[in-house]
Amino acid sequence: TLKDTVFTHYLEIQGSVDTKENILVQPEFQGTLVSLTVNAGQRVSKGQILGRIDDAGLSQQVASLENQYALAKTTFERQKNLWSQKIGSEIQFLNAQTQMVSAQKAVAQLKAQLGKTVIKAPFSGVIDEVFVERGEVVSANPRGLMRLVNLNNMYVSTTVPETYIGKLKVGTAVEVTLSSLGKTYVGKVRQVASNI
């Protein structure tokens, strides 16, 4: 007896495995790398500190500006109190307010600069390679400090012969064989581009 069976036809093509989260971590601040807390092959979490750059005295400047802000805030609160009792002039009150706001902005601006001396992981992944050593002077350059890769969100891209383009649609089942691992994964076409 004959029995109906489903015959699945496969086209075998080669592709490359890649990830969208694959970056060169660049320093946002130029200076001496005073600490490097990761090695190649190490897993890191998003936001984890990877290293620190010498802040060139910024932390002392922040402390000094914070003291100035504290004084400006106290002066403003006193002027506000006096002004609410109709003591003193409006100009004194407004000057105190302006100085407090200005000091507050200066602290925030310098803290933002100081934050750039801390190198953090922009996403969770694996440190693929480290290009620098502790004690080295670092700045933005084409090679970066290290390469960070997220291996959890991989995809395969390939070129398909023109004759098969019409049969290939988003959702088409695929089998991906990674010969280096000796494993086969079942997946679906996620995106089809028509460029040659």
Side-chain angles (χ1 to χ4, degrees):
T1 60
L2 292 174
K3 191 175 171 183
D4 282 347
T5 56
V6 176
F7 178 74
T8 308
H9 176 74
Y10 283 99
L11 167 68
E12 192 172 310
I13 47 178
Q14 290 188 343
S16 56
V17 180
D18 211 342
T19 176
K20 288 184 177 171
E21 292 184 313
N22 176 352
I23 65 154
L24 290 170
V25 177
Q26 293 283 357
E28 292 185 83
F29 195 84
Q30 184 175 334
T32 305
L33 190 65
V34 290
S35 79
L36 183 63
T37 58
V38 290
N39 299 309
Q42 185 176 333
R43 292 197 68 79
V44 295
S45 302
K46 182 178 179 177
Q48 182 176 329
I49 294 173
L50 310 175
R52 289 180 190 274
I53 299 168
D54 179 46
D55 68 22
L58 277 182
S59 49
Q60 284 94 344
Q61 289 178 49
V62 167
S64 173
L65 280 179
E66 282 178 329
N67 286 338
Q68 289 175 34
Y69 168 63
L71 177 62
K73 188 177 178 185
T74 302
T75 304
F76 167 71
E77 285 167 356
R78 287 183 180 163
Q79 283 294 335
K80 185 180 175 185
N81 248 352
L82 290 170
W83 182 239
S84 67
Q85 297 170 46
K86 304 293 181 206
I87 301 169
S89 70
E90 186 179 11
I91 291 294
Q92 288 173 308
F93 167 72
L94 292 174
N95 276 341
Q97 186 178 37
T98 301
Q99 285 178 358
M100 180 192 72
V101 170
S102 178
Q104 188 177 29
K105 284 181 180 174
V107 168
Q109 191 175 19
L110 212 55
K111 275 187 171 179
Q113 278 290 102
L114 187 60
K116 292 179 180 181
T117 65
V118 180
I119 303 150
K120 294 181 180 179
F123 54 81
S124 296
V126 175
I127 301 296
D128 185 52
E129 200 173 349
V130 178
F131 307 113
V132 291
E133 292 180 12
R134 191 168 61 85
E136 198 174 318
V137 174
V138 296
S139 61
N141 64 63
R143 107 185 144 147
L145 302 174
M146 60 196 74
R147 180 175 293 285
L148 176 62
V149 180
N150 181 356
L151 300 175
N152 293 331
N153 190 15
M154 307 289 284
Y155 65 93
V156 175
S157 59
T158 186
T159 304
V160 177
E162 245 180 280
T163 51
Y164 294 99
I165 287 289
K167 296 179 175 145
L168 198 64
K169 294 184 175 32
V170 172
T172 302
V174 293
E175 281 186 7
V176 178
T177 303
L178 301 177
S179 53
S180 58
L181 299 177
K183 289 187 175 182
T184 299
Y185 299 91
V186 176
K188 288 182 179 178
V189 173
R190 190 169 68 190
Q191 182 181 354
V192 178
S194 57
N195 63 315
I196 297 172

